[in-house]
Amino acid sequence: MPERVPVCSAPMRRDPHSFADDTQARTDSFALDARVDFATQTIHATVTLTFATPASGHLDLDTRDLAIDQITDAHGHALAFTVHPPEPHLGSRLAIDLAHETPAITIRYRTAPDASAMQWLAPAQTAGGVHPYVFTQCQAIHARSLVPLQDSPGYRVTYTATLTVPRALKVVMAAADRGRTENGDVAVHRWEMPQRIPPYLFAFAVGDLASRDLSPRSRVWAEPSVVEAAAWEFAMVEDHITAAESLFGPYDWERFDILIMPPSFPYGGMENPRLTFFSPTTIAGDRSLVSVMAHELAHSWTGNLVTNANAEHFWLNEGFTMYAERRITEATEGADAAALSAALGRRELEESITRFADRPEMTKLRPDLAGVDPDDCYSLIPYEKGYFFLAAIESVVGRSAFEAWLKTYLAAFRFGAITTEQFEAHLEAALPGALSKANARAWIDGVGIPEGAVPPKSAKLDAIEGLHGALPTANVSAAWTATEWNLYLESVPRPAPDATCRALDAQLTSSKNYDVLVAWLTLALQSGYHAVLPRVEQVVAEVGRMKYLRPMYTNLASDPRTRDLADQLFAKNRASYHPIARQMVEGVLAKPRA
Ligand SMILES: [Zn+2]
């Protein structure tokens, strides 16, 4: 047999946030066997990566803070490997020497107690207060702190997972349930993900959980004391799935289960397939915040089926999902509700662009993110600028042509991961000239908001703007949705007069709807109305959702009178925040004092 000559080719790394190299073996599936150890906040695991075709030569994997104990090939032979020193934002490259051709490798390893994909909660941090809890959040690039793999969305995988947990706890996973067995103090729960996912959609949670069925294909999971309220809040899930299917085609993930997260969950929702994660702040008690459900459900098509190739193309996930969310809202709540949501989106887009005044690159739809941590530049810009770009294209070609194109786009790139250039080529082929008519270059490569953005139109919006910040009569505001309240509160000139603040204080400070409450508290802080400070302190102590923490800390920190309070509140609550939220607040408080 002739000696194998190693093939040395230049690495082809197409994702600035991954060591995955297109010239190397490609992982096709993985099998994870993991023991979840609450005492040491560690996962002890072995994972077998099976390649698309048997592979030899070098293999680079993404890892972050993993302790690698042993790597073997399919015959059980030990393989040489190097864990390179961590690189900023990326973690450590795990370089493996596949000495002989092998169809698979097995890695034995442990996660770190501060693994960035996991938050371990003490019993006191849960609603029940008796059992600990752990959950994962892998987007954007945290899966590598949980499993050594090619952590780039273009490396889609199927997987199986066997999780061993304390018997008193339930495991839920964004995968198909393959059964649980109990033995002594432990339970072993098996899962399978038969659909190919980008690694950032790997997700599970372990805790004291109960469930209620919502429809034949949907169930809600939550801590026992929360589950009834959650089942009521999300009871209409099947209507949303049906509306979405009529717009975007069949639902491809079989189940749409919902997990209500502990309060520290940093996002409104996370579209983990088969098991979407929702912040408990979505349970307003009046179904007024179910737009988060429309959003996460829409990701089943835009994001989970057609996925951004890497974080530089994040708008392909989020801009399309905002478009799809507003179409679901239009179908379930009417055109006015969708227009109001778009109008609020426009305000939020303008605020986000102002926030990045010192980093205009981040206001491009397709920014250059080499050397930039995706969590550091997270904002609503890919969401809302992406939405308004798609709305501009729709207005140029007409709704029916746009809808017809959208269906072919979703079909063409199903279970794929694509770039902005691939989107452009597909649209140009189907609707020649539409991109240039919609001013695409300015949207994609330009900073800020281009000319020609379509203004949302609604009589209800006109009525709110007609108030010019004056207090609405009780009759008018009694019928307002959370979105209308938000638009009104945004429209009140700063600083608002003391009388306005007192009137709003009486009406809104006790609100259980965090969207409305935080919009009001923001106005109050920006108006120097400090009677709300006790409520602000309560909010930053009881929620960990960044949408609410950011304006509270930003406004406390920007006023010299409350600057010290901002530092004190962060010191007090820091430990209860998710690492991603902690990093965000640290960024806010690091800004120089005014
Ligand atoms: Zn989203």
Side-chain angles (χ1 to χ4, degrees):
M1 202 164 105
E3 197 180 62
R4 178 183 290 278
V5 180
V7 182
C8 288
S9 50
M12 198 190 287
R13 294 194 186 127
R14 292 190 300 175
D15 181 342
H17 299 114
S18 174
F19 293 110
D21 181 341
D22 285 358
T23 65
Q24 300 179 349
R26 174 173 283 269
T27 305
D28 185 63
S29 65
F30 70 79
L32 177 72
D33 189 345
R35 182 166 61 83
V36 180
D37 182 1
F38 282 92
T40 60
Q41 303 195 334
T42 303
I43 289 179
H44 301 258
T46 60
V47 65
T48 296
L49 308 182
T50 300
F51 304 125
T53 54
S56 58
H58 293 289
L59 176 67
D60 290 329
L61 299 179
D62 293 300
T63 73
R64 181 182 282 144
D65 303 326
L66 296 181
I68 308 291
D69 295 319
Q70 189 188 43
I71 305 180
T72 52
D73 68 11
H75 305 291
H77 298 133
L79 296 173
F81 65 89
T82 308
V83 180
H84 288 273
E87 293 188 24
H89 318 307
L90 293 180
S92 297
R93 176 162 66 100
L94 170 57
I96 305 165
D97 184 4
L98 305 174
H100 302 282
E101 191 169 271
T102 181
I105 58 170
T106 297
I107 305 171
R108 188 155 53 81
Y109 68 98
R110 288 156 289 140
T111 61
D114 58 352
S116 63
M118 283 182 283
Q119 191 180 18
W120 301 84
L121 299 176
Q125 292 171 280
T126 66
V130 176
H131 296 285
Y133 196 112
V134 66
F135 68 88
T136 64
Q137 167 60 38
C138 287
Q139 197 178 34
I141 52 168
H142 301 290
R144 64 194 62 178
S145 73
L146 209 46
V147 185
L149 40 55
Q150 290 159 313
D151 189 9
S152 177
Y155 286 74
R156 296 182 85 105
V157 284
T158 57
Y159 68 84
T160 59
T162 301
L163 267 66
T164 302
V165 301
R167 185 179 185 149
L169 302 181
K170 290 268 193 311
V171 186
V172 288
M173 197 159 202
D177 189 340
R178 295 291 183 246
R180 171 182 167 114
T181 48
E182 296 180 346
N183 192 352
D185 291 343
V186 300
V188 177
H189 208 133
R190 289 168 300 282
W191 301 86
E192 180 183 9
M193 190 64 188
Q195 286 101 357
R196 217 164 270 285
I197 57 153
Y200 74 79
L201 291 177
F202 178 75
F204 66 84
V206 183
D208 181 18
L209 295 167
S211 71
R212 296 286 181 276
D213 282 336
L214 302 176
S215 89
R217 53 180 164 176
S218 184
R219 172 179 301 152
V220 63
W221 290 92
E223 285 198 70
S225 64
V226 181
V227 73
E228 291 301 341
W232 186 86
E233 201 82 21
F234 292 106
M236 78 302 285
V237 60
E238 191 58 35
D239 296 346
H240 277 68
I241 303 175
T242 309
E245 283 188 309
S246 68
L247 287 164
F248 312 119
Y251 180 74
D252 263 325
W253 304 89
E254 298 173 56
R255 292 200 62 86
F256 184 76
D257 291 343
I258 289 169
L259 175 65
I260 304 300
M261 305 303 290
S264 66
F265 189 63
Y267 298 106
M270 177 62 211
E271 64 270 22
N272 299 312
R274 290 172 175 263
L275 183 70
T276 288
F277 288 12
F278 283 101
S279 161
T281 61
T282 57
I283 304 174
D286 57 5
R287 295 177 180 159
S288 58
L289 294 178
V290 292
S291 65
V292 176
M293 182 165 72
H295 182 93
E296 305 309 330
L297 174 64
H299 270 306
S300 306
W301 289 266
T302 50
N304 295 4
L305 266 192
V306 180
T307 306
N308 54 213
N310 62 56
E312 293 179 337
H313 307 277
F314 189 46
W315 81 273
L316 292 174
N317 279 18
E318 297 301 346
F320 273 85
T321 296
M322 288 312 304
Y323 176 84
E325 173 196 322
R326 290 186 177 129
R327 292 299 307 273
I328 295 172
T329 299
E330 190 182 312
T332 54
E333 296 173 46
D336 249 345
L340 289 167
S341 162
L344 190 59
R346 170 77 198 218
R347 298 272 184 127
E348 289 169 340
L349 175 57
E350 285 160 6
E351 281 170 17
S352 297
I353 286 171
T354 306
R355 182 154 69 80
F356 282 96
D358 56 343
R359 294 163 82 191
E361 173 71 21
M362 297 307 141
T363 72
K364 295 177 179 174
L365 261 193
R366 187 189 45 196
D368 178 359
L369 297 185
V372 179
D373 182 340
D375 289 336
D376 254 2
C377 61
Y378 179 83
S379 79
L380 287 177
I381 292 167
Y383 293 71
E384 297 294 359
K385 190 172 176 181
Y387 167 80
F388 282 101
F389 176 36
L390 295 174
I393 297 170
E394 184 185 51
S395 83
V396 162
V397 301
R399 175 166 275 193
S400 67
F402 186 78
E403 265 183 2
W405 166 77
L406 183 57
K407 284 193 172 127
T408 64
Y409 166 84
L410 293 172
F413 297 115
R414 213 168 153 263
F415 290 107
I418 65 166
T419 62
T420 304
E421 294 74 29
Q422 285 169 285
F423 147 80
E424 288 180 81
H426 190 270
L427 183 68
E428 186 59 27
L431 298 166
L435 284 169
S436 69
K437 272 189 220 144
N439 201 12
R441 289 272 63 77
W443 284 97
I444 294 170
D445 300 320
V447 301
I449 308 173
E451 300 286 305
V454 183
K457 285 198 188 73
S458 139
K460 288 182 174 176
L461 181 61
D462 296 341
I464 293 164
E465 284 173 350
L467 287 170
H468 300 289
L471 281 169
T473 63
N475 266 354
V476 167
S477 66
W480 275 357
T481 62
T483 312
E484 285 167 285
W485 265 115
N486 258 275
L487 282 163
Y488 164 71
L489 291 166
E490 291 261 351
S491 76
V492 177
R494 272 69 168 158
D498 212 51
T500 304
C501 286
R502 280 201 306 275
L504 292 171
D505 188 359
Q507 224 171 337
L508 299 179
T509 302
S510 59
S511 175
K512 288 185 171 53
N513 184 310
Y514 282 98
D515 271 15
V516 175
L517 173 64
V518 170
W520 150 238
L521 296 176
T522 299
L523 170 62
L525 290 176
Q526 291 174 349
S527 304
Y529 181 78
H530 288 169
V532 297
L533 285 177
R535 188 72 174 116
V536 172
E537 290 187 31
Q538 216 174 14
V539 167
V540 301
E542 70 194 9
V543 307
R545 186 173 168 186
M546 293 192 288
K547 178 181 182 180
Y548 306 134
L549 292 183
R550 188 194 301 278
M552 294 296 89
Y553 279 105
T554 302
N555 287 295
L556 287 172
S558 62
D559 183 338
R561 291 169 294 175
T562 51
R563 168 70 221 205
D564 288 341
L565 180 63
D567 290 328
Q568 287 159 18
L569 290 176
F570 183 52
K572 194 164 125 194
N573 296 301
R574 188 180 184 285
S576 68
Y577 294 155
H578 189 277
I580 294 174
R582 210 179 288 157
Q583 181 181 333
M584 182 277 292
V585 179
E586 278 164 358
V588 167
L589 297 181
K591 297 237 165 80
R593 283 171 178 250

